[in-house]
Amino acid sequence: MDKLPTYNEVVVARLRPRTRWNLKYLSLLCLCGLYATVLWSRSISRTLFVHDETASLPARAQEALYNCKMLSVKPGPPDDFHQRSQSDRFVKGTPPTLLRNVSVWTGDSSGYELHGVDILLDKGIIKFVGQAHQGLLQEYSNLITLDVGGSWVTPGIVDMHSHLGVDSIPSLAGAGDVNSRKGPIVPWMRSLDGLNTHDDGYRLSISGGVTTANVLPGSANAIGGQAFVIKLRPTAERSPSSMLLEPPYTINDTRVDPSLPPRWRQMKHACGENPSSVYKNTRMDTFWAFRQAYDEARTVKEKQDDYCKKAFAGQWEGLGDFPQDLRTEALVDVLRGRVKVHTHCYEAVDLDDFVRLTNEFRFPLAAFHHAHEAYLVPDTLKRAYGNTPAVAMFATNARYKREAYRGSEFAPRILAKHGIDVVMKSDHPVMNSRYLLYEAQQAHYYGLSTDLALSSVTSVPAKVLGLDHRIGFIREGYDADLVIWDSHPLAIGATPTQVWIDGISQLQNPYVSAKPLPFQTAPSTPNFDEEAAAAVKYDGLPPLSTTSSTTNTVVFTNVGSVFNKVDMGVQQVFSASDAGLGVAVVKAGELICYGPHTTCYDHITLNSVDWSDLDGGSICPALVSYGSPLGLEEIHAEKSTRDGVVLDPLADRIPGVLNGSEVIRAVDGLLFTTRDALLAYRAGVTSAVTAPASKGLVAGLSTVFSTGAAHGLQAGAVVEDTAALHVSVSHRWSGSPSVSTQVAALRNLLLHSNEGSPFNQAAKGEIPLVVETANADIIASLLKLKTEVDTHTGSNIRLAISGAAEAHILSKELAAADVGVIVSPSRPFPEDWQGRRILPGPPLTNHSTISTLLEHGVTVGIGILEPWSARSTRFDIAWAALESNGKISKAQALALASTNLEKLLGAPVQDDLIVTRGGTILDFEAKVVGVISPRRGLFERT
C-alpha cells in the first residue's frame, strides 16, 4: 500500500531531467532557495489574512490549498519518464535479454516495420533497437542472447475491454465479481476490489500474446464503476495490487502522490439493453440516471471551484473543509477531464444520447465499446465533447441481441476511413482473449489495413488508455512487453513462441508448430469494397441473396486445387503444383471435369459458356455447421425471433398433450433466411445440423437444412427431417438434477423406451445418439453406459460426444469404443469447472484436443456455440490444421467440418461444392465466390 502524501508545501511540479551541478553553485542555490522560502512564507501569510486580520487559519489549510492546486493538473507521466533507467515494475534478478535478427512491427507510423534488427531488454524496459554493437553489450555479463531468425516481433497485445479476474474461469459462484446490483449508478465501485489472482485466464491470455488488460466492471449498470489496467504476469507478491499498471491514485485514498502528476483513471459506463434489463428501465430512465449523477457531480465541482477561489484569495472565514466525498469524487474527476470513460453502447440512439450527454456536462469520452452501429453514424461520434472517441469492437460477433443486429464485419474499415480510431477487444470471457489477435486478423481480412489492424490491439488501445508513453510500441525506453510470433501476426493461426512482460519471459519451454513460408508475410486479403458500401447503403442490413449463373456451363480457369469427397472422406484430387494452374468445368450443377487445361477441351463449347478466373483459387466440398441454434433463431435475446427452449423431463412438468411425443423435432421450428444462415452460406457453409435448444437432459431430434434456402417448402430446403437424437449430461445450475440422476434417466430411456421410439432407435444404433458434455468423468460414465446398453440390445450405439473439452484425456478409450467426438468450440475454453482440463495446444502444449483425438483414431468433427460464428467455420478448421505441426492435412481439415460431421450426426452426404478465388477456403487470401449444387442443378454466385 502506498504511503499517504504529506501537505507541507503547495507545489506540484513535474520532475525535470537530472543535471550535474558544481558544489559551489549548488550551495548558492540552496541559500537562494532558503531566502525565497522565507519571503514566500511571509507573502502567503499576508495573503491568507488579507481580508480579516483576526481570522484563524484552518488546521488543514495547506491540505486544502494542495487539493485546489491539484484540480488543474492533468494526468500523465513525469516529464523525465523516458530517461528512467529501469521500470517501476522491474523484478530484481531478471537477466538482460538480446533478441537478434528480428523483423519488428514497431507501432510507429513513421516506420512500422524494421528488418534484421536487434532488441535489448534490461531492467524491465527496452534499452536499444537497432544494430547492437559489441561496445553496447560489454557491460552485460549475464546477457541472454536469442537469434530469432527473422521472426516477427510486436509490442505486447493490449486488451482494452476485459473482465479478467472479475469474471473468472472456470466460472464459480464464489468468484463472480463483474457487476454490482446495488443500483444503476455506482461510480465508487472498483474492479480492483474484486480482482481474482487465481483466474485461469491469465495464463491462457499470455499464451496468445496479451500482456496488458483494462479490467472493466460489467455492463449491468449505467455507471458500473472504476476500471484498472493490469499486467498479466504473475508477481512474487501474488496480490491484485502488484499487478496494477500506473494506478491512478493511492489504492485506498483518492489523493495522488504530490511529487508526481496524477495518472489516468478508467471508468465504465453502459447504455442500452443491459442496464435497462437489469433494472427494468427504459432508455429514458437510464439517461435520466446519467444526467442526475452528473448534475450532482457538477454541483460538487462548482462548490470545489468556488471554495478554491476563496482559498486562493485568503477568504477562510466560514469556509470549512474542502467539499468532496467518495460517492461523487470519481465523477467530479470525469468532469475535470482526468478519467478515461469507456462506454458500452450499441445503437445510433444510444450513441447519440451519450454524445449529447458529453456536451451537456462537458467531459471527454475515451471510447465507445461494442458500438455495433457506430460505422453508420461516424459524424455523430465526431460531435462528442473535446475529442472523437475511439470505437472498441468485435470483428464478426453480432446479432445476439437487437442492438447488435446491424453489426457489420466491415465496421472497422469504415470507421478507419472516417478517421476514427479502431480498437479490437475481447470482452473476455465473452470472447477468449487468448485469441484477441484473431479479431484483428478478421478485421484485416474484411478490409482494415495491415498497420491499422495491428495497431488496433497494440498502440491504439495504449493511446486510448493514456498509457502510450510506455506500452503499445517497440521503442527505446518503453516497457519490455514483446511477443515473438511463429508467423506474420496477421496470418491465420499466428501463435507466440515467446512473450515478455516487464522483460520477463512468460512461456516455459514453449511448443512451436512450424508454419509454411508464405505465412511469414501479411496475407493479401480479398476485395470487399462493394460489400462494405452496401452495408452502409442498406443501413446495416444489406441483401444477402445470391445469383444463379445465366448459362448452363461454367468454366473456371487458373484453378489452384480441387478437393472432393472420396470414400466417406475428403481427398485432394488436383493440385496446381503438379501440372500448373488448371481448369474446371461445371455443367448443370455438376463438376464434370477438372485438371490441366488440355484435360477438359472436349467439355468446353464456345457458345453459352460463363468463364471465371479463380486466380489460383480452389474447389472443395461445402462445409456443415453444427452446435449452435442456427436456423432456430434470428436474435437470441428476442424470444419472438426464435423457436425457444424445449421442456426438460427431469425438471419440468410435461403437458399431457405431449404424452408419447416428448422427443421434440427441430424441423418443426426451423426459421429460414436468418442473417446468420445466409452469411454462413456465402462463406461456404451450405448446410447445418441443428438440434432443438435445451437447458435440460433431452434436447430432441436434430434436422439437416440448407442455409441458403428461401423457405421450408423450397425443394432441398430440408435435407433430412431427422438426423440424430441429442441429450445433454452436465451440472447446469444450483438445484438441477445430479449428474448421476441424469445418467440413470438416460439409462432408463435407452433400455426401456417403447419400440420404435427415438430412444429405442438410438439404443439399436439406427440413429446416432449425440451427448453434449465437456467433462472426462462424465464421458467415462457414458462409455460404461454404452457397453451396458450394447450388451443388453446386442447392437452398437452410434454414440458421439459433443462439446468434449476434456475428451483428449480418454482418447484411447473413445477410439476403442468407436465413439466419435465433436469438439465445440474447436479451440476449447475452460469456461466452467466441468471443462477446466483442456489441452490448449501450442505454445502451452505440443498437441491440441483435435490433433490428439485424431492421432488415436477417433472420428472428429468441429462445432460452434453461437450462430454468428458459423460463417467462420472455414477459419476454425484452418486453425486446427495449422496448430497440428503438419499432422492434419488440408483434406483432413476439410473433413472436420464436412464428411466427419455427416458420419457422426447421421446427415446425408452432401454433394455441394464451394468455389473460392485467390486460394483455398482455408486461406485468408481467398474469397468464396460460388456454390456448385448438383441437387439443384446450378452454379450460384455468392
Side-chain angles (χ1 to χ4, degrees):
M1 185 179 297
D2 294 341
K3 184 177 180 181
L4 296 180
T6 56
Y7 302 95
N8 52 10
E9 58 180 351
V10 187
V11 179
V12 183
R14 300 196 176 206
L15 299 179
R16 302 296 179 188
R18 295 179 180 175
T19 306
R20 295 182 179 177
W21 290 88
N22 182 286
L23 184 58
K24 177 176 65 176
Y25 293 113
L26 184 60
S27 300
L28 180 60
L29 180 63
C30 291
L31 290 172
C32 291
L34 180 61
Y35 179 67
T37 300
V38 172
L39 291 180
W40 178 82
S41 299
R42 292 177 178 176
S43 174
I44 199 69
S45 297
R46 287 193 299 269
T47 301
L48 293 174
F49 297 103
V50 66
H51 295 289
D52 188 350
E53 295 282 342
T54 64
S56 299
L57 185 66
R60 303 186 68 182
Q62 295 297 340
E63 178 182 344
L65 288 170
Y66 163 78
N67 286 334
C68 290
K69 186 73 174 180
M70 288 302 301
L71 297 183
S72 61
V73 179
K74 296 301 181 184
D79 287 343
D80 68 343
F81 182 82
H82 289 121
Q83 297 179 30
R84 59 181 180 158
S85 60
Q86 71 177 44
S87 170
D88 54 317
R89 295 182 52 81
F90 171 62
V91 176
K92 187 176 181 180
T94 303
T97 301
L98 177 67
L99 306 181
R100 286 200 178 276
N101 191 18
V102 175
S103 296
V104 186
W105 187 86
T106 66
D108 278 310
S109 57
S110 59
Y112 281 112
E113 295 183 11
L114 301 174
H115 295 274
V117 300
D118 307 324
I119 304 176
L120 178 62
L121 314 178
D122 185 33
K123 292 186 170 51
I125 62 177
I126 299 171
K127 290 286 190 176
F128 178 81
V129 180
Q131 301 295 329
H133 55 81
Q134 195 57 37
L136 174 68
L137 307 177
Q138 283 179 346
E139 63 181 276
Y140 298 102
S141 59
N142 59 338
L143 182 67
I144 297 175
T145 301
L146 298 175
D147 189 327
V148 303
S151 295
W152 283 98
V153 173
T154 69
I157 290 176
V158 180
D159 190 353
M160 200 172 82
H161 186 132
S162 175
H163 303 295
L164 271 167
V166 293
D167 196 357
S168 303
I169 59 168
S171 177
L172 295 169
D177 291 296
V178 69
N179 283 302
S180 167
R181 305 286 176 137
K182 302 302 182 183
I185 305 294
V186 287
W188 49 87
M189 295 293 175
R190 306 186 301 184
S191 66
L192 173 63
D193 297 328
L195 193 67
N196 175 15
T197 58
H198 304 296
D199 189 338
D200 287 353
Y202 296 126
R203 174 173 173 262
L204 292 174
S205 296
I206 289 171
S207 75
V210 181
T211 58
T212 305
N214 185 31
V215 180
L216 293 157
S219 52
N221 311 96
I223 302 179
Q226 300 160 52
F228 287 79
V229 180
I230 63 170
K231 293 282 190 83
L232 270 58
R233 68 170 176 84
T235 66
E237 186 179 310
R238 301 179 182 178
S239 70
S241 296
S242 64
M243 301 176 72
L244 295 177
L245 178 61
E246 294 197 358
Y249 48 93
T250 54
I251 301 305
N252 283 325
D253 196 285
T254 58
R255 293 166 290 186
V256 299
D257 183 339
S259 66
L260 297 172
R263 300 302 174 91
W264 284 104
R265 305 173 73 172
Q266 317 287 331
M267 183 176 287
K268 176 70 176 291
H269 289 44
C271 46
E273 294 183 29
N274 284 21
S276 292
S277 62
V278 170
Y279 293 101
K280 310 303 179 186
N281 286 336
T282 67
R283 282 175 166 80
M284 294 183 291
D285 294 312
T286 298
F287 271 90
W288 173 239
F290 275 131
R291 295 180 69 210
Q292 279 184 310
Y294 274 109
D295 185 55
E296 182 181 357
R298 181 170 56 186
T299 299
V300 174
K301 175 181 178 292
E302 290 170 349
K303 288 180 179 179
Q304 290 178 350
D305 293 342
D306 183 61
Y307 179 100
C308 291
K309 181 179 179 180
K310 293 178 179 178
F312 285 136
Q315 300 173 6
W316 293 100
E317 181 66 29
L319 198 54
D321 292 333
F322 181 76
Q324 64 178 352
D325 69 82
L326 285 175
R327 293 176 63 87
T328 60
E329 61 84 19
L331 289 186
V332 173
D333 251 7
V334 170
L335 298 180
R336 296 195 183 281
R338 291 143 60 101
V339 180
K340 298 288 188 176
V341 176
H342 302 268
T343 302
H344 160 124
C345 276
Y346 282 78
E347 291 190 89
V349 58
D350 299 315
L351 300 170
D352 184 62
D353 283 347
F354 206 89
V355 164
R356 286 189 281 103
L357 185 76
T358 69
N359 284 297
E360 179 180 2
F361 293 96
R362 302 177 68 80
F363 66 88
L365 173 64
F368 279 120
H369 291 238
H370 300 301
H372 280 57
E373 292 188 15
Y375 73 101
L376 296 173
V377 290
D379 291 337
T380 297
L381 272 59
K382 293 178 181 180
R383 290 198 294 270
Y385 178 81
N387 61 270
T388 300
V391 177
M393 67 188 83
F394 297 128
T396 57
N397 187 350
R399 293 169 296 283
Y400 45 88
K401 55 182 175 178
R402 190 192 68 85
E403 60 189 9
Y405 190 60
R406 295 173 190 265
S408 172
E409 63 271 34
F410 306 112
R413 61 177 285 172
I414 294 169
L415 288 165
K417 182 180 178 181
H418 285 274
I420 295 173
D421 284 336
V422 171
V423 175
M424 307 310 296
K425 46 83 177 171
S426 73
D427 197 8
H428 181 97
V430 172
M431 302 281 284
N432 182 358
S433 64
R434 178 184 179 186
Y435 302 111
L436 176 54
L437 184 63
Y438 179 46
E439 296 297 293
Q441 292 170 353
Q442 292 176 89
H444 179 245
Y445 176 75
Y446 290 110
L448 190 63
S449 73
T450 297
D451 293 323
L452 290 182
L454 288 174
S455 296
S456 72
V457 291
T458 54
S459 54
V460 174
K463 181 183 75 171
V464 175
L465 292 169
L467 292 166
D468 54 333
H469 57 279
R470 66 183 298 168
I471 63 172
F473 297 85
I474 294 182
R475 294 172 176 167
E476 294 176 7
Y478 273 60
D479 286 13
D481 299 348
L482 296 88
V483 185
I484 303 178
W485 301 93
D486 63 4
S487 49
H488 190 282
L490 291 180
I492 188 168
T495 301
T497 62
Q498 190 52 268
V499 179
W500 282 267
I501 302 179
D502 300 323
I504 305 171
S505 60
Q506 299 298 306
L507 303 178
Q508 306 303 316
N509 302 314
Y511 295 91
V512 179
S513 180
K515 300 294 174 65
L517 184 61
F519 281 63
Q520 301 306 318
T521 56
S524 299
T525 55
N527 187 312
F528 287 101
D529 290 350
E530 291 184 7
E531 292 90 336
V536 177
K537 176 181 178 181
Y538 291 97
D539 201 23
L541 300 176
L544 299 175
S545 58
T546 56
T547 58
S548 300
S549 175
T550 57
T551 63
N552 193 44
T553 303
V554 181
V555 178
F556 299 104
T557 60
N558 293 319
V559 177
S561 60
V562 177
F563 298 83
N564 217 334
K565 295 181 179 179
V566 179
D567 297 330
M568 293 299 295
V570 177
Q571 292 183 14
Q572 185 167 350
V573 295
F574 170 74
S575 173
S577 59
D578 297 333
L581 292 175
V583 66
V585 180
V586 173
K587 188 172 184 178
E590 295 278 354
L591 180 63
I592 61 174
C593 182
Y594 55 84
H597 286 271
T598 55
T599 305
C600 298
Y601 279 156
D602 294 341
H603 298 279
I604 302 174
T605 60
L606 295 179
N607 298 322
S608 300
V609 173
D610 190 354
W611 296 83
S612 182
D613 183 354
L614 294 189
D615 190 23
S618 181
I619 297 174
C620 71
L623 304 180
V624 180
S625 180
Y626 169 74
S628 78
L630 185 68
L632 290 179
E633 66 179 37
E634 177 80 333
I635 304 172
H636 178 74
E638 295 290 337
K639 292 183 179 180
S640 65
T641 72
R642 56 180 182 157
D643 176 52
V645 177
V646 302
L647 297 173
D648 178 13
L650 286 183
D652 299 302
R653 179 175 295 177
I654 305 298
V657 71
L658 287 177
N659 283 341
S661 305
E662 293 88 347
V663 179
I664 304 302
R665 305 192 316 160
V667 68
D668 297 328
L670 277 178
L671 306 171
F672 288 89
T673 67
T674 66
R675 295 194 72 80
D676 285 321
L678 294 177
L679 286 167
Y681 187 82
R682 292 165 66 94
V685 181
T686 65
S687 63
V689 180
T690 299
S694 171
K695 295 181 179 179
L697 173 65
V698 180
L701 294 165
S702 58
T703 187
V704 188
F705 71 98
S706 169
T707 56
H711 54 78
L713 297 180
Q714 187 181 61
V718 178
V719 179
E720 188 83 350
D721 279 358
T722 60
L725 175 62
H726 297 258
V727 300
S728 175
V729 179
S730 65
H731 299 277
R732 293 183 183 84
W733 65 90
S734 176
S736 67
S738 68
V739 167
S740 53
T741 300
Q742 295 171 54
V743 173
L746 181 57
R747 177 184 293 109
N748 184 62
L749 288 168
L750 290 170
L751 295 178
H752 304 296
S753 290
N754 295 331
E755 185 71 24
S757 69
F759 278 98
N760 178 258
Q761 290 178 297
K764 293 179 177 180
E766 295 174 2
I767 59 174
L769 174 66
V770 182
V771 183
E772 181 183 359
T773 191
N775 184 258
D777 299 310
I778 296 176
I779 294 173
S781 294
L782 293 171
L783 292 180
K784 290 188 286 186
L785 177 61
K786 173 179 166 31
T787 300
E788 180 183 348
V789 175
D790 287 350
T791 301
H792 183 271
T793 63
S795 302
N796 182 30
I797 291 183
R798 294 159 58 189
L799 178 63
I801 305 298
S802 175
E806 297 184 353
H808 59 279
I809 297 172
L810 297 171
S811 296
K812 294 179 181 179
E813 292 78 6
L814 288 163
D818 193 25
V819 173
V821 171
I822 303 171
V823 183
S824 305
S826 59
R827 297 182 293 283
F829 180 59
E831 184 174 4
D832 56 34
W833 187 261
Q834 299 172 83
R836 71 191 185 282
R837 296 173 292 184
I838 67 168
L839 194 62
L844 296 177
T845 60
N846 194 22
H847 301 285
S848 68
T849 299
I850 292 174
S851 66
T852 299
L853 290 166
L854 288 174
E855 189 174 346
H856 285 87
V858 178
T859 300
V860 180
I862 70 158
I864 60 172
L865 301 181
E866 298 178 80
W868 60 265
S869 61
R871 68 184 307 174
S872 298
T873 299
R874 53 183 289 208
F875 301 138
D876 291 338
I877 57 177
W879 200 298
L882 288 166
E883 70 175 2
S884 73
N885 205 19
K887 294 180 179 179
I888 300 177
S889 67
K890 288 186 176 181
Q892 289 172 313
L894 290 168
L896 293 173
S898 59
T899 53
N900 288 8
L901 282 178
E902 290 168 347
K903 176 183 177 181
L904 295 173
L905 296 169
V909 175
Q910 299 296 294
D911 295 325
D912 287 351
L913 296 171
I914 300 302
V915 182
T916 56
R917 178 178 290 120
T920 73
I921 200 170
L922 307 176
D923 300 325
F924 267 152
E925 291 84 356
K927 182 179 184 179
V928 174
V929 295
V931 177
I932 301 169
S933 178
R935 186 175 69 251
R936 291 178 291 154
L938 53 80
F939 169 68
E940 201 165 31
R941 298 185 186 278
T942 57

